Structures are given as structure tokens and as C-alpha cells.
Amino acid sequence: MNPVVLTLRGRPDQRLDLAPLVPHRLAGMTAAEIERIELQTTRRRVLLGDVFHLRMGDAAQIRIEASCDNLDRIGHQMTGGEIVVDGDAGAWVGRLMTAGRLTIRGSAGPWAASGMSGGTFEIFGSVGDRLGGPGPGEVAGMRGGVVLVRGLAGERAGDRIRRGTIVVEGDAGAYAGSRMIAGTLVVVGRAGRLPGYLMRRGTIVLGKEAAELSPTFIDCGVHDLIAARLIAGFIGGYSARAERLFRRPLRRFAGDMATLGRGEIFSRA
Amino acid sequence: MRAVTVGGVRIDDTFAEAFGMRATAVIVTADSIRWARQAALTMTGFATSVIGCGCEGGMDAELTATQTADRRPGVRVLLFAVSTSELQKQLQTRVAQCVLTSPGSACYAGLEGEETLRLGNALRYFGDGWQISKRFGGKHYWRIPVMDGEFVCEATTGLTKEAVGGGNLLIMGRTARATLAAAEAATAAIVKVPGAITPFPGGIVRSGSKVGSKYKGVPASTNHAFCPTLRGAVDTALDPDTACVLEIVIDGLTSEAVAAAMAAGIAAVVKLGPRRGAVRVSAGNYGGKLGPHHYHLRDLLP
């Protein structure tokens, strides 16, 4: 099964909206129809054929080659299949994704995985602010699925997420897991200031001591929990580095007591 | 009734009559197999017969640390009942009183099924607001704070409506000791059959019953045709050389599991032989009109 391959001819001079390029929307379209898809975000019209070289294949798999950071909304509302991006991606990547597999071999911009509810989203490089966070006016961010960032994450990774699992293998910026409603966020590296800021429920696991932990998180002692083994068994399928964090007893901090306080931060004992 | 003799043991040309049941399974784990067994044993205590216990239950298999979700040793427990609502009630109360309470335990779904029963979804309220829901990998768990840490319990477990209860073997011998040896050999063989349990004490019943009684309101009474002390006084089903009858009752998640368990039991009795074990094997039925599942012994011979 050959994928549909889209090779960027050169860096476009405006940001492009790649939301239409998902497997379920390309299914059944001819090459000519795909080349006529409009991608512009300004008044100047840009057709797909103007900026991409298209090689047809089965639309269940899409490959975007020579990608750059002004391609936004890749994998928007993706419902299945696979998208692989060779290069960087812009903002809102994987937004509202419900299933399938999305891989960015470079780095991604802000609001990646925003509102995602299912599927697997892997970023080889780093990712901008508000990973998995809610869009404007939305109550909750990510609602399910797995996000794996091999590099660094910006500020507020996991902001207001409700469900699902985010693993950041590198460091995370300030306010990781801010306002979390529930779900799981693992930062293997060092988290910036005030992780779990105003989190209500949910689990944050830190591989290294955070730059500053809020005094509204209360030390509940060191525990070897069965739940940690279950999470480790699940995460081990995605990240061996994250799994290793769970192999020893962890110190549990309950919080954020400035709000509901049913959340928890685990860190090395 | 014609009988065939296999290895010196007479096998009656009859059949066991069994009934459709609702069943579920859970996997109970603990820090050691000793405590997993303890929780499972407690949970399946007083679960011998639906007549008086609400459900029938038993341990199906022991699992090694590599076979369980939390990588600790565990035991798979099966529960059988006559209705979904009774099964739900029994599952909930037994896990709450016997597994939740057992040191270091955790409880997971032991059966996949489109239909489910509430497990952690029912027990989570014990957490009094401190319970934590975790979903990942298509699974949903509840973490309930308890005095030795947390009780982890999967939210639901599967329900099957294909289960069969009441497969049975009647094992007859010349002495009580030899008959028990044969029955023990049979239950030891049946334990190895996946998806089947023998709910009675050690898998063996010495008080087989018939439906009804001379007394009003008594649903079941002693099966007098198989009581050796009444041999001369009633229309007996026993041979002159029979001094003891023990029954093995088998419940299975599928009809095939019950048939496999009965075949394994017969093979074990035959292997032990008539000198050290039983002289005759029969099975209980109600004439074939009550239960939809019939297991003819002649089809199950070794």
C-alpha cells in the first residue's frame, strides 16, 4: 500500500491551513481534485498543487515531505489512518484528532494535540506551548489518546486536559499540567516552575525535581503503588525512558490545594 | 441401563443434564500467590450451589506474574448465577467483602465481553470522594485509598450468557476411601481444564440432591436412590457392590469447557482403576426435559 506523498516545493510565503489533508477527507478523491484543494490563510489563494508535488497512493496513509513550521492544522479532526510529517509542523497539529496515528519527525508549534480525543500522536522533536490545551472558549483540552514528545515541551503542557496520556521525554516549560481536569502527564526531564498549577484532578509524574513546586501541593509520603505499575505497563509500549520512572517508589504530592486538590504529582523519592 | 466397561470401571450409558447460566470472571492479584489465593478462596467461600448461596464460584487458574496486568501473581475466579442481576449482586458483595479487604489485593476483569458487570464502578464509593479514576490503553481502573495503600480495581468485567452449570459425574466405589481417592483424582484433572470449576468443597459433593421433597417448601432433598444405607428400603440406583457415592458438579464458561472437564474427570477415574478407586461412573439428569445441555458419558470416554 503506497501512501499519498506530498512534497513541499519550497517554504510558502504565507501560513497554510492543512486541515483538509486527512485520510477520511482525501478518500475517493482523484489527483486532480486533491491538487485543487485550497490551503491559503490570507486573501491570496493557494492551491495544493501550487506548493506541493503530489504522488498519489492510498489516502489511508499520507506523507508530507520537506515540511516546514508554517504548515498549520495538520491532522485536523483525523478519524483514522496515518499521517507522517518529515520535517517541522506549525500550530494546532493533531487538533480534535479522534483516532489513527500522527507522526511529526521534526518539531511542532503551539496547541499541538489540542482537544484530541483518541489515537496516537508522536513528535520526534520539540513542541510549543499549550500541548493538548483547549482552544479559545473551550472548557477542556485533550480528552483521550496518547501524545508522545521525544524532545522538549513549551509552557503549560497538558493545560486543562480531561483524559488521555501525555509523555514528554525531555524537559517541560513552566506550569506543566496547569488546570488539569484529569488525565496523565509524564515529564521525564525537568519541569519548569509550578507544575500542576491549579490542577483539579489527574496525575503528573516528574522524572526530576521541578524548578519550583507550589506550596499548595502537600507531601503524602513515598509509596510503591499498584497504579504506578499499571501506568508503567501501558507507557512502556511507547517510551522506555518514561517506564523507568515508575520502577521505584515515588513521592506523592496531593494538590493543587488552591483548588479542588484531588490531583497528584509523583516525583522521585 | 447398559454400561460399557473401560479399564475395569463401568461407565453408565446415561447423560448429565445441565442448564444455561450467567457467568463472569475476575482476576485477583496480590504481592504473593499465597495472598492472591487467600482472597480468591474467601471470595468463593459459601458459593457451592445457587440453591442456597446465590451463586456458584471457584478458582479457575493460577496466574504467574507475567500473566497479570500488574505483574504480580494472581488467581482467576469464576462466578455463576441464574440471572444477570443476581450475578451482579454476588460479584459486588463478594469482591467488596473478600477482595477489597484482603491485604495488598487488586482486582481486574477476567473475561472480555460485550456485556459487562460493574466491578470498580460499584466499589469506588468506598473511597468516599478520594477515589481516583484512571483510563489508559482502553482500560478503566479505580484507585481506592485503603489502609495499606490503594485498592486498584478495574471498572467493569465481562459477562457471558453462554455459560453452563450442572455438568456432573457420579462416582461409585466399594469403600468410602477408594471412592474419595477416585473423586480426588477426577477433581485434580478437572482443575487443569480452563474455563471450568467445581464449586463444592474440594470439588466434591457427598449430598447429591433431587428436586423437591415430601415436606412443603423444601426445594431439594437427599437423592435417596443413591444413598447406600437406604439400598434395601427404596428403589435404589446402586449396585450391590457400591458402598459410597460422590458427585462432582462442574460449571463452565462454555458448553465445551464442561464437556472437556467431564472427559478429564472420567479419564482420571479410569486411570486410577477399580482396585484403588471407583468401580462405576454415572451422571445425574432429570429425564432430559429440564436442562438444554446433555453430556452423554459414552461421548466422553478416554
Short mmCIF file of all heavy atoms in Angstrom, two decimals, chain A residues 163-165 182-184 201-203 223 225-227 229-234 243 252 257 261-262 264 266, chain B residues 29 31 69-72 104-106 108 128-138 141 143 149-150 152:
data_model
loop_
_atom_site.label_atom_id
_atom_site.label_comp_id
_atom_site.label_asym_id
_atom_site.label_seq_id
_atom_site.Cartn_x
_atom_site.Cartn_y
_atom_site.Cartn_z
N ARG A 163 -8.57 13.86 29.90
CA ARG A 163 -8.32 12.42 29.87
C ARG A 163 -7.18 12.20 28.89
O ARG A 163 -6.82 13.11 28.14
CB ARG A 163 -9.58 11.69 29.41
CG ARG A 163 -9.56 10.21 29.70
CD ARG A 163 -10.88 9.60 29.31
NE ARG A 163 -11.93 9.93 30.26
CZ ARG A 163 -13.24 9.85 29.99
NH1 ARG A 163 -13.64 9.46 28.81
NH2 ARG A 163 -14.13 10.13 30.91
N GLY A 164 -6.65 10.99 28.86
CA GLY A 164 -5.57 10.70 27.93
C GLY A 164 -4.21 10.79 28.61
O GLY A 164 -4.12 11.13 29.79
N THR A 165 -3.17 10.48 27.84
CA THR A 165 -1.83 10.40 28.40
C THR A 165 -0.88 11.22 27.54
O THR A 165 -0.87 11.08 26.32
CB THR A 165 -1.36 8.93 28.40
OG1 THR A 165 -2.34 8.13 29.07
CG2 THR A 165 -0.02 8.77 29.10
N ALA A 182 -8.25 16.10 34.55
CA ALA A 182 -7.89 14.70 34.85
C ALA A 182 -6.90 14.27 33.78
O ALA A 182 -6.44 15.09 32.99
CB ALA A 182 -9.12 13.81 34.86
N GLY A 183 -6.57 12.99 33.74
CA GLY A 183 -5.61 12.51 32.75
C GLY A 183 -4.23 12.34 33.35
O GLY A 183 -4.06 12.49 34.57
N THR A 184 -3.27 12.03 32.49
CA THR A 184 -1.92 11.71 32.96
C THR A 184 -0.89 12.47 32.13
O THR A 184 -0.96 12.46 30.90
CB THR A 184 -1.67 10.19 32.84
OG1 THR A 184 -2.70 9.49 33.53
CG2 THR A 184 -0.32 9.80 33.43
N ARG A 201 -7.92 17.43 39.19
CA ARG A 201 -7.65 16.00 39.34
C ARG A 201 -6.54 15.66 38.37
O ARG A 201 -6.03 16.51 37.66
CB ARG A 201 -8.90 15.17 39.01
CG ARG A 201 -10.04 15.35 39.97
CD ARG A 201 -11.13 14.34 39.68
NE ARG A 201 -12.15 14.32 40.70
CZ ARG A 201 -13.20 15.13 40.74
NH1 ARG A 201 -13.35 16.03 39.80
NH2 ARG A 201 -14.08 15.06 41.72
N GLY A 202 -6.22 14.37 38.29
CA GLY A 202 -5.22 13.94 37.32
C GLY A 202 -3.89 13.62 37.97
O GLY A 202 -3.71 13.82 39.18
N THR A 203 -2.98 13.10 37.14
CA THR A 203 -1.70 12.62 37.63
C THR A 203 -0.57 13.24 36.82
O THR A 203 -0.61 13.21 35.59
CB THR A 203 -1.63 11.08 37.48
OG1 THR A 203 -2.74 10.51 38.16
CG2 THR A 203 -0.34 10.52 38.07
N HIS A 223 5.49 6.11 48.19
CA HIS A 223 4.64 4.92 48.03
C HIS A 223 5.05 4.12 46.81
O HIS A 223 5.53 4.67 45.83
CB HIS A 223 3.17 5.34 47.89
CG HIS A 223 2.68 6.15 49.04
ND1 HIS A 223 2.29 5.58 50.22
CD2 HIS A 223 2.56 7.49 49.20
CE1 HIS A 223 1.94 6.54 51.07
NE2 HIS A 223 2.10 7.71 50.46
N LEU A 225 3.03 2.10 44.45
CA LEU A 225 1.62 1.86 44.17
C LEU A 225 1.40 0.91 42.99
O LEU A 225 2.15 0.93 42.02
CB LEU A 225 0.91 3.19 43.88
CG LEU A 225 0.89 4.20 45.03
CD1 LEU A 225 0.24 5.49 44.58
CD2 LEU A 225 0.17 3.62 46.24
N ILE A 226 0.34 0.13 43.11
CA ILE A 226 -0.04 -0.78 42.02
C ILE A 226 -0.40 0.04 40.78
O ILE A 226 -0.10 -0.33 39.65
CB ILE A 226 -1.26 -1.63 42.44
CG1 ILE A 226 -0.88 -2.49 43.64
CG2 ILE A 226 -1.75 -2.50 41.30
CD1 ILE A 226 0.27 -3.40 43.45
N ALA A 227 -1.05 1.19 41.00
CA ALA A 227 -1.45 2.03 39.87
C ALA A 227 -0.22 2.44 39.06
O ALA A 227 -0.29 2.53 37.83
CB ALA A 227 -2.18 3.27 40.39
N ARG A 229 2.45 0.68 38.60
CA ARG A 229 2.83 -0.47 37.76
C ARG A 229 1.94 -0.57 36.52
O ARG A 229 2.40 -0.90 35.44
CB ARG A 229 2.64 -1.78 38.53
CG ARG A 229 3.63 -2.00 39.64
CD ARG A 229 3.08 -3.16 40.46
NE ARG A 229 3.93 -3.42 41.60
CZ ARG A 229 4.61 -4.56 41.76
NH1 ARG A 229 4.54 -5.51 40.86
NH2 ARG A 229 5.35 -4.74 42.81
N LEU A 230 0.65 -0.29 36.72
CA LEU A 230 -0.28 -0.36 35.58
C LEU A 230 0.06 0.71 34.55
O LEU A 230 0.08 0.45 33.34
CB LEU A 230 -1.72 -0.20 36.05
CG LEU A 230 -2.26 -1.32 36.94
CD1 LEU A 230 -3.64 -0.94 37.46
CD2 LEU A 230 -2.35 -2.62 36.17
N ILE A 231 0.34 1.93 35.04
CA ILE A 231 0.69 3.02 34.11
C ILE A 231 2.01 2.66 33.42
O ILE A 231 2.16 2.85 32.20
CB ILE A 231 0.80 4.36 34.86
CG1 ILE A 231 -0.56 4.75 35.45
CG2 ILE A 231 1.26 5.47 33.92
CD1 ILE A 231 -0.54 5.98 36.35
N ALA A 232 2.96 2.11 34.18
CA ALA A 232 4.25 1.73 33.60
C ALA A 232 4.06 0.69 32.49
O ALA A 232 4.67 0.79 31.42
CB ALA A 232 5.16 1.17 34.68
N GLY A 233 3.21 -0.29 32.74
CA GLY A 233 2.96 -1.33 31.74
C GLY A 233 2.39 -0.75 30.47
O GLY A 233 2.72 -1.18 29.36
N PHE A 234 1.56 0.27 30.62
CA PHE A 234 0.96 0.91 29.45
C PHE A 234 1.96 1.81 28.74
O PHE A 234 2.15 1.73 27.53
CB PHE A 234 -0.26 1.72 29.91
CG PHE A 234 -0.82 2.63 28.86
CD1 PHE A 234 -1.39 2.09 27.71
CD2 PHE A 234 -0.75 4.00 29.00
CE1 PHE A 234 -1.90 2.93 26.73
CE2 PHE A 234 -1.26 4.83 28.02
CZ PHE A 234 -1.83 4.29 26.89
N GLU A 243 8.89 4.66 31.27
CA GLU A 243 8.56 3.48 32.08
C GLU A 243 9.51 3.34 33.26
O GLU A 243 9.11 2.97 34.36
CB GLU A 243 8.61 2.22 31.20
CG GLU A 243 8.14 0.98 31.94
CD GLU A 243 8.52 -0.32 31.27
OE1 GLU A 243 9.23 -0.29 30.26
OE2 GLU A 243 8.11 -1.37 31.79
N ARG A 252 4.49 11.18 46.65
CA ARG A 252 3.21 11.67 46.15
C ARG A 252 2.88 13.02 46.81
O ARG A 252 2.91 13.15 48.03
CB ARG A 252 2.10 10.67 46.48
CG ARG A 252 0.73 11.08 45.99
CD ARG A 252 -0.30 9.97 46.26
NE ARG A 252 -1.54 10.25 45.56
CZ ARG A 252 -2.56 10.93 46.10
NH1 ARG A 252 -2.47 11.41 47.32
NH2 ARG A 252 -3.66 11.14 45.39
N MET A 257 -4.07 22.35 46.20
CA MET A 257 -5.00 22.67 47.28
C MET A 257 -5.57 24.08 47.14
O MET A 257 -6.48 24.46 47.88
CB MET A 257 -4.31 22.50 48.63
CG MET A 257 -3.92 21.07 48.94
SD MET A 257 -5.34 19.96 48.96
CE MET A 257 -4.53 18.38 49.09
N GLY A 261 -7.96 20.04 44.60
CA GLY A 261 -6.94 19.30 45.35
C GLY A 261 -7.00 17.79 45.24
O GLY A 261 -6.43 17.09 46.05
N ARG A 262 -7.70 17.26 44.25
CA ARG A 262 -7.77 15.80 44.08
C ARG A 262 -6.70 15.29 43.11
O ARG A 262 -6.69 14.12 42.76
CB ARG A 262 -9.14 15.37 43.58
CG ARG A 262 -10.25 15.66 44.54
CD ARG A 262 -10.34 14.59 45.61
NE ARG A 262 -11.65 14.64 46.24
CZ ARG A 262 -11.93 15.34 47.32
NH1 ARG A 262 -10.98 16.07 47.88
NH2 ARG A 262 -13.13 15.35 47.85
N GLU A 264 -2.55 14.86 41.73
CA GLU A 264 -1.34 14.35 42.39
C GLU A 264 -0.14 14.59 41.48
O GLU A 264 -0.24 14.57 40.26
CB GLU A 264 -1.48 12.86 42.71
CG GLU A 264 -1.76 12.01 41.47
CD GLU A 264 -2.13 10.56 41.78
OE1 GLU A 264 -2.10 10.15 42.95
OE2 GLU A 264 -2.46 9.84 40.84
N PHE A 266 3.66 12.96 41.21
CA PHE A 266 4.62 11.98 41.70
C PHE A 266 6.02 12.44 41.29
O PHE A 266 6.23 12.85 40.15
CB PHE A 266 4.37 10.61 41.07
CG PHE A 266 3.15 9.91 41.60
CD1 PHE A 266 2.02 9.76 40.81
CD2 PHE A 266 3.14 9.39 42.88
CE1 PHE A 266 0.90 9.11 41.29
CE2 PHE A 266 2.02 8.74 43.38
CZ PHE A 266 0.89 8.60 42.59
N THR B 29 -5.18 -10.31 42.16
CA THR B 29 -3.73 -10.39 42.33
C THR B 29 -3.35 -9.91 43.73
O THR B 29 -4.14 -9.25 44.41
CB THR B 29 -2.97 -9.53 41.31
OG1 THR B 29 -3.25 -8.15 41.56
CG2 THR B 29 -3.35 -9.87 39.88
N ASP B 31 0.55 -9.46 46.43
CA ASP B 31 2.01 -9.44 46.43
C ASP B 31 2.60 -10.84 46.34
O ASP B 31 3.71 -11.02 45.86
CB ASP B 31 2.52 -8.74 47.70
CG ASP B 31 2.22 -7.25 47.66
OD1 ASP B 31 2.16 -6.69 46.55
OD2 ASP B 31 2.00 -6.65 48.72
N ALA B 69 -2.01 -8.03 34.82
CA ALA B 69 -1.85 -6.62 34.44
C ALA B 69 -0.82 -5.92 35.31
O ALA B 69 -0.07 -5.08 34.82
CB ALA B 69 -3.20 -5.91 34.52
N ASP B 70 -0.78 -6.23 36.60
CA ASP B 70 0.15 -5.51 37.49
C ASP B 70 1.42 -6.30 37.77
O ASP B 70 2.18 -5.95 38.67
CB ASP B 70 -0.55 -5.09 38.79
CG ASP B 70 -1.07 -6.28 39.57
OD1 ASP B 70 -0.60 -7.41 39.35
OD2 ASP B 70 -1.96 -6.08 40.42
N ARG B 71 1.63 -7.36 37.00
CA ARG B 71 2.86 -8.16 37.11
C ARG B 71 3.08 -8.72 38.50
O ARG B 71 4.19 -8.73 39.02
CB ARG B 71 4.07 -7.35 36.64
CG ARG B 71 3.86 -6.90 35.20
CD ARG B 71 4.99 -6.13 34.65
NE ARG B 71 4.59 -5.61 33.34
CZ ARG B 71 5.42 -5.02 32.51
NH1 ARG B 71 6.67 -4.88 32.82
NH2 ARG B 71 4.99 -4.57 31.34
N ARG B 72 1.97 -9.15 39.10
CA ARG B 72 2.06 -9.86 40.37
C ARG B 72 1.31 -11.17 40.19
O ARG B 72 0.47 -11.30 39.30
CB ARG B 72 1.38 -9.04 41.49
CG ARG B 72 2.04 -7.70 41.70
CD ARG B 72 1.50 -7.02 42.94
NE ARG B 72 0.06 -6.81 42.87
CZ ARG B 72 -0.69 -6.49 43.91
NH1 ARG B 72 -0.14 -6.34 45.09
NH2 ARG B 72 -1.99 -6.31 43.77
N GLY B 104 -3.08 -6.11 50.28
CA GLY B 104 -2.31 -5.99 49.04
C GLY B 104 -3.03 -6.40 47.78
O GLY B 104 -2.42 -6.45 46.71
N SER B 105 -4.34 -6.64 47.86
CA SER B 105 -5.03 -7.18 46.69
C SER B 105 -5.32 -6.13 45.63
O SER B 105 -5.33 -4.93 45.90
CB SER B 105 -6.35 -7.81 47.12
OG SER B 105 -7.23 -6.77 47.51
N ALA B 106 -5.55 -6.62 44.41
CA ALA B 106 -6.11 -5.80 43.32
C ALA B 106 -7.03 -6.73 42.53
O ALA B 106 -6.91 -7.95 42.63
CB ALA B 106 -5.00 -5.25 42.42
N TYR B 108 -9.09 -7.36 38.73
CA TYR B 108 -9.21 -6.98 37.32
C TYR B 108 -10.25 -7.84 36.62
O TYR B 108 -10.61 -8.92 37.10
CB TYR B 108 -7.86 -7.16 36.62
CG TYR B 108 -6.74 -6.44 37.30
CD1 TYR B 108 -5.87 -7.10 38.15
CD2 TYR B 108 -6.58 -5.06 37.14
CE1 TYR B 108 -4.86 -6.43 38.81
CE2 TYR B 108 -5.58 -4.38 37.79
CZ TYR B 108 -4.71 -5.07 38.62
OH TYR B 108 -3.73 -4.38 39.28
N ASP B 128 -15.11 7.26 49.31
CA ASP B 128 -15.67 8.43 49.98
C ASP B 128 -15.19 9.75 49.39
O ASP B 128 -14.92 10.71 50.12
CB ASP B 128 -15.34 8.37 51.48
CG ASP B 128 -16.29 9.25 52.30
OD1 ASP B 128 -17.40 9.55 51.81
OD2 ASP B 128 -15.91 9.65 53.41
N GLY B 129 -15.06 9.77 48.07
CA GLY B 129 -14.65 11.00 47.40
C GLY B 129 -13.16 11.06 47.09
O GLY B 129 -12.73 11.86 46.28
N TRP B 130 -12.36 10.20 47.74
CA TRP B 130 -10.92 10.19 47.49
C TRP B 130 -10.57 9.19 46.40
O TRP B 130 -9.40 9.02 46.08
CB TRP B 130 -10.16 9.84 48.78
CG TRP B 130 -10.42 10.83 49.85
CD1 TRP B 130 -11.25 10.70 50.92
CD2 TRP B 130 -9.89 12.16 49.93
NE1 TRP B 130 -11.25 11.85 51.66
CE2 TRP B 130 -10.43 12.76 51.07
CE3 TRP B 130 -8.99 12.89 49.12
CZ2 TRP B 130 -10.10 14.06 51.45
CZ3 TRP B 130 -8.68 14.17 49.51
CH2 TRP B 130 -9.24 14.74 50.65
N GLN B 131 -11.53 8.48 45.84
CA GLN B 131 -11.24 7.52 44.78
C GLN B 131 -10.75 8.25 43.54
O GLN B 131 -11.15 9.39 43.29
CB GLN B 131 -12.48 6.66 44.46
CG GLN B 131 -13.64 7.39 43.82
CD GLN B 131 -14.59 8.02 44.84
OE1 GLN B 131 -14.20 8.36 45.94
NE2 GLN B 131 -15.84 8.18 44.45
N ILE B 132 -9.89 7.59 42.77
CA ILE B 132 -9.30 8.19 41.58
C ILE B 132 -9.58 7.28 40.39
O ILE B 132 -9.34 6.08 40.45
CB ILE B 132 -7.77 8.36 41.75
CG1 ILE B 132 -7.47 9.36 42.88
CG2 ILE B 132 -7.13 8.82 40.45
CD1 ILE B 132 -6.01 9.43 43.25
N SER B 133 -10.09 7.88 39.33
CA SER B 133 -10.35 7.13 38.10
C SER B 133 -9.15 7.28 37.17
O SER B 133 -8.62 8.36 37.01
CB SER B 133 -11.60 7.73 37.44
OG SER B 133 -11.68 7.35 36.10
N LYS B 134 -8.70 6.17 36.60
CA LYS B 134 -7.61 6.23 35.62
C LYS B 134 -8.01 5.43 34.40
O LYS B 134 -8.40 4.27 34.52
CB LYS B 134 -6.33 5.63 36.22
CG LYS B 134 -5.60 6.56 37.15
CD LYS B 134 -4.68 7.49 36.40
CE LYS B 134 -4.84 8.89 36.76
NZ LYS B 134 -4.26 9.89 35.96
N ARG B 135 -7.89 6.04 33.24
CA ARG B 135 -8.17 5.35 31.98
C ARG B 135 -6.94 5.40 31.12
O ARG B 135 -6.41 6.47 30.87
CB ARG B 135 -9.28 6.06 31.21
CG ARG B 135 -10.67 5.80 31.69
CD ARG B 135 -11.60 6.64 30.82
NE ARG B 135 -12.91 6.76 31.41
CZ ARG B 135 -13.96 6.03 31.03
NH1 ARG B 135 -13.84 5.17 30.06
NH2 ARG B 135 -15.12 6.20 31.62
N PHE B 136 -6.49 4.25 30.64
CA PHE B 136 -5.45 4.23 29.62
C PHE B 136 -5.45 2.87 28.94
O PHE B 136 -5.90 1.87 29.51
CB PHE B 136 -4.06 4.56 30.18
CG PHE B 136 -3.74 3.93 31.49
CD1 PHE B 136 -3.31 2.61 31.55
CD2 PHE B 136 -3.87 4.64 32.66
CE1 PHE B 136 -3.01 2.02 32.75
CE2 PHE B 136 -3.57 4.05 33.88
CZ PHE B 136 -3.14 2.74 33.92
N GLY B 137 -4.97 2.86 27.70
CA GLY B 137 -4.89 1.61 26.95
C GLY B 137 -6.22 0.89 26.82
O GLY B 137 -6.26 -0.33 26.81
N GLY B 138 -7.31 1.66 26.75
CA GLY B 138 -8.62 1.02 26.60
C GLY B 138 -9.15 0.42 27.89
O GLY B 138 -10.20 -0.23 27.89
N TYR B 141 -9.64 1.97 35.29
CA TYR B 141 -9.38 1.48 36.65
C TYR B 141 -9.86 2.49 37.68
O TYR B 141 -9.88 3.69 37.42
CB TYR B 141 -7.87 1.27 36.87
CG TYR B 141 -7.22 0.31 35.91
CD1 TYR B 141 -6.49 0.78 34.84
CD2 TYR B 141 -7.35 -1.06 36.08
CE1 TYR B 141 -5.88 -0.09 33.94
CE2 TYR B 141 -6.75 -1.95 35.20
CZ TYR B 141 -6.01 -1.46 34.14
OH TYR B 141 -5.42 -2.32 33.26
N ARG B 143 -8.88 3.66 41.61
CA ARG B 143 -7.91 3.57 42.71
C ARG B 143 -8.62 4.04 43.97
O ARG B 143 -9.05 5.19 44.05
CB ARG B 143 -6.71 4.47 42.44
CG ARG B 143 -5.89 4.05 41.24
CD ARG B 143 -4.98 5.18 40.78
NE ARG B 143 -4.14 5.69 41.84
CZ ARG B 143 -3.45 6.83 41.75
NH1 ARG B 143 -3.52 7.58 40.65
NH2 ARG B 143 -2.71 7.23 42.73
N GLY B 149 -2.49 1.25 51.47
CA GLY B 149 -2.11 1.92 50.22
C GLY B 149 -3.34 2.18 49.38
O GLY B 149 -4.21 2.96 49.77
N GLU B 150 -3.42 1.50 48.24
CA GLU B 150 -4.58 1.69 47.37
C GLU B 150 -5.11 0.34 46.92
O GLU B 150 -4.34 -0.58 46.66
CB GLU B 150 -4.19 2.48 46.11
CG GLU B 150 -4.05 3.96 46.34
CD GLU B 150 -3.69 4.70 45.05
OE1 GLU B 150 -3.28 4.06 44.06
OE2 GLU B 150 -3.80 5.92 45.06
N VAL B 152 -6.70 -1.23 43.81
CA VAL B 152 -6.92 -0.94 42.40
C VAL B 152 -7.91 -1.97 41.85
O VAL B 152 -7.76 -3.17 42.08
CB VAL B 152 -5.60 -1.02 41.61
CG1 VAL B 152 -5.87 -0.91 40.11
CG2 VAL B 152 -4.67 0.09 42.05
#
